[in-house]
Amino acid sequence: MRFSGPEFTVLCAVTGQPDFAHIVIGYVPKAWLIESKSLKFYLASFRNHNGFPEDCTVDIGKRIAAVLEPAYLRIGGYWHPRGGMPIDVFRTTGTLPTNVWLPNQGIATYGARGYR
């Protein structure tokens, strides 16, 4: 399973200004699948939440892992720059089964003014 949330928003814990990210969640299920609509509402609930990019990304991964108990979970939070620095946050849980193909998350590294 793979979900991509390109319009993720949270409020900065210090300034209250919005921080934006592209969240990519991939997991190998055991017994449970997450409904896309439920995940969409869960991610949208962060719009009025004050938090730091690192904490939000890790907390989402922890919560999904606790609820679904997947064989493997990978979350990537690709945060847009604020204060001049983009932040990419990753978390994995479990072991990727040998018969599962794990694609690249597909988000290019940040490249301002043509730098890559």
Side-chain angles (χ1 to χ4, degrees):
M1 299 293 299
R2 181 177 170 156
F3 296 97
S4 182
E7 299 174 347
F8 184 81
T9 307
V10 67
L11 300 176
C12 175
V14 176
T15 66
Q17 296 296 311
D19 285 327
F20 302 94
H22 189 148
I23 302 289
V24 180
I25 301 165
Y27 71 97
V28 177
K30 279 187 185 174
W32 301 100
L33 296 174
I34 193 167
E35 179 191 29
S36 60
K37 188 174 184 177
S38 297
L39 180 61
K40 178 179 78 169
F41 286 145
Y42 173 61
L43 293 178
S45 73
F46 281 83
R47 290 181 189 242
N48 293 321
H49 173 78
N50 289 331
F52 294 107
E54 300 87 347
D55 292 336
C56 290
T57 305
V58 170
D59 287 347
I60 291 167
K62 284 181 179 179
R63 180 122 187 237
I64 291 172
V67 170
L68 298 181
E69 299 176 345
Y72 178 81
L73 179 131
R74 175 179 70 178
I75 182 170
Y78 299 87
W79 294 83
H80 297 251
R82 241 176 44 84
M85 182 180 291
I87 300 172
D88 296 342
V89 182
F90 306 96
R91 183 177 197 281
T92 61
T93 299
T95 303
L96 183 67
T98 57
N99 61 343
V100 173
W101 174 63
L102 184 67
N104 181 297
Q105 289 191 325
I107 309 299
T109 57
Y110 182 76
R113 298 185 182 158
Y115 296 106
R116 298 244 183 246

